[in-house]
Amino acid sequence: MFNFLGKAISYYGRHNIAASRGHHKLRFLQHSPLSMLFSRNFISKSNNANQHSFTVSYLMNSCGLSLESALSASKYVRLKTPHKPDSVLNFFKKRGFPKSQTTNIIKRIPKVLLLSPENLLRKLEFFHCEGISNPDTVKIFSKYPSLLSRSLDNHLIPTFNSLSHLLQSSEKTIALIIRFPYILYHDADYYLLPNVKILRDSGVPESAIIKSIESWPKLFLRHPKFFEKNVASVKEMGINPLRLKFVLAIQAKCIMSESQWESKLHVYKKWGWSEQEWLSAFLKCPWCMITSEDKITAIMDFFVNGMGWEPAVIAKHPALTTFSMEKRIIPRGAVIQFLLSKGLVKSDTTYLTTLLSYPEKTFMLRLMNYDDAPKLLKLYQEKLDLSKKTKCSV
């Protein structure tokens, strides 16, 4: 009996001591640095999760983004409260930005929601002061919202001034920016000005440089080393830098890789052009290399197999490769074949290529000179309509 009580007392005593130690150990862990760190991490993760949830909800409900777009945008912006983003949305609304365009801006540049309305206002007012209307300003920033993230004082104003100085006209600068706003995004000192210097050093007249910037602004956003390499290549072909075609040829070289260039050259040679014929054609019309391979094949097939012309004829008139198959070559080719079948024109390719090259109004007036004008006009219109239907069904 005493033995049993002793064992029982001993057992419960050990159990209480162990429990007591466990309790003290638990209290120690609760107040240890490790426990506090775990607690802070948990709270932090909880706060981040709440912020992420709020951000996604706000992007969907207030900004009009889809769930997928909101989740994607939330990787780049975290919203804590609706105060600042609400002020940005109100700003866009007051300045005439349609809801759909505001949604698109936020989808592409989510961090715009963190900008201050004052910052945005200064940028819009700068454009207005330079003579760009509010509707055009809205279009510019809607098309290239990344401009909103650029510094006004350190980037937009200096770049605008560089363009204005190069084009020697505020009106031309404004017209260019409205047509191609992206020209303002890149630092002029890094792309535009070095490439202009390369052209000047190559002997290209200032008037041709201005015309080139107006016509092909994207060309001047190429890396200067790449740009210079293609300028040297065009020089080797023998194109005169004093002619605008010099810059056209640079454009043709810059927009495709070496493999694409060689592949198009191979297509022309496959149709019977010699190296000299190709070079002569390129010097006359650099755009002949911008035409796609499929279109080159279709045009050569039409004239060589359909019209019975020698490949050299197209080489002498390379502008033919730039014409639309549907709107010009097929309809006018049908008229030319009709005239040839009736003996109304001679099989003179120089005259026939001229017919193909006429502006639409001039071509129609030429048709009116023939006795069969009603038939010709009907045939021409039928081929035009058929080409349109064929293109739409493709």
Side-chain angles (χ1 to χ4, degrees), residues 259-274 278 288-289 291-301 304 311 321:
S259 61
Q260 289 174 317
W261 182 270
E262 291 300 324
S263 183
K264 289 184 181 181
L265 179 56
H266 175 72
V267 173
Y268 280 120
K269 288 183 176 180
K270 188 174 71 174
W271 280 97
W273 286 15
S274 67
W278 169 81
C288 72
M289 286 299 281
T291 302
S292 71
E293 291 182 38
D294 288 342
K295 186 178 175 182
I296 293 170
T297 298
I299 288 174
M300 294 298 289
D301 180 64
V304 176
T321 64

Side-chain angles (χ1 to χ4, degrees), residues 50-94:
N50 289 336
Q51 284 182 21
H52 183 259
S53 177
F54 171 74
T55 300
V56 173
S57 176
Y58 186 89
L59 290 170
M60 292 176 64
N61 298 328
S62 298
C63 304
L65 271 65
S66 66
L67 175 59
E68 183 181 2
S69 296
L71 288 170
S72 177
S74 67
K75 297 175 184 177
Y76 305 98
V77 64
R78 272 306 155 85
L79 306 176
K80 296 181 180 180
T81 68
H83 176 69
K84 179 168 279 189
D86 277 352
S87 66
V88 171
L89 292 180
N90 288 332
F91 171 82
F92 282 131
K93 185 177 181 180
K94 288 179 181 177

Side-chain angles (χ1 to χ4, degrees), residues 58-263:
Y58 186 89
L59 290 170
M60 292 176 64
N61 298 328
S62 298
C63 304
L65 271 65
S66 66
L67 175 59
E68 183 181 2
S69 296
L71 288 170
S72 177
S74 67
K75 297 175 184 177
Y76 305 98
V77 64
R78 272 306 155 85
L79 306 176
K80 296 181 180 180
T81 68
H83 176 69
K84 179 168 279 189
D86 277 352
S87 66
V88 171
L89 292 180
N90 288 332
F91 171 82
F92 282 131
K93 185 177 181 180
K94 288 179 181 177
R95 302 303 295 193
F97 285 77
K99 182 66 184 294
S100 59
Q101 291 182 359
T102 302
T103 298
N104 183 55
I105 289 172
I106 295 167
K107 180 180 176 180
R108 293 170 63 183
I109 310 290
K111 287 188 176 180
V112 74
L113 290 171
L114 302 179
L115 297 177
S116 69
E118 293 76 16
N119 179 298
L120 295 170
L121 180 61
R122 286 189 66 226
K123 291 171 184 175
L124 267 65
E125 285 184 339
F126 167 72
F127 278 70
H128 295 161
C129 289
E130 294 298 337
I132 302 177
S133 68
N134 189 66
D136 284 330
T137 302
V138 170
K139 288 179 184 177
I140 288 170
F141 285 112
S142 297
K143 191 174 182 180
Y144 290 101
S146 54
L147 290 173
L148 291 168
S149 64
R150 283 301 204 178
S151 167
L152 176 63
D153 297 319
N154 298 328
H155 182 83
L156 293 177
I157 292 176
T159 305
F160 183 94
N161 290 339
S162 293
L163 274 172
S164 188
H165 177 73
L166 281 173
L167 298 178
Q168 302 174 11
S169 163
S170 295
E171 289 76 16
K172 288 182 178 180
T173 304
I174 291 169
L176 174 60
I177 290 171
I178 292 172
R179 187 169 63 86
F180 188 68
Y182 197 57
I183 192 76
L184 277 180
Y185 183 79
H186 289 286
D187 191 334
D189 291 333
Y190 192 71
Y191 291 112
L192 179 63
L193 297 180
N195 289 336
V196 167
K197 185 179 184 302
I198 291 169
L199 291 184
R200 284 173 177 161
D201 293 344
S202 299
V204 178
E206 201 68 23
S207 58
I209 292 175
I210 292 172
K211 179 66 176 175
S212 301
I213 296 173
E214 289 180 284
S215 303
W216 314 293
K218 198 173 181 179
L219 174 64
F220 292 84
L221 299 182
R222 304 282 179 176
H223 194 284
K225 287 186 178 179
F226 176 76
F227 188 84
E228 189 170 28
K229 176 186 174 184
N230 286 297
V231 169
S233 176
V234 170
K235 277 183 179 179
E236 290 174 3
M237 293 179 188
I239 300 181
N240 188 349
L242 296 176
R243 301 183 65 188
L244 188 60
K245 285 181 181 178
F246 182 81
V247 184
L248 266 174
I250 297 169
Q251 167 81 334
K253 286 286 290 180
C254 282
I255 65 173
M256 69 188 84
S257 64
E258 285 296 328
S259 61
Q260 289 174 317
W261 182 270
E262 291 300 324
S263 183

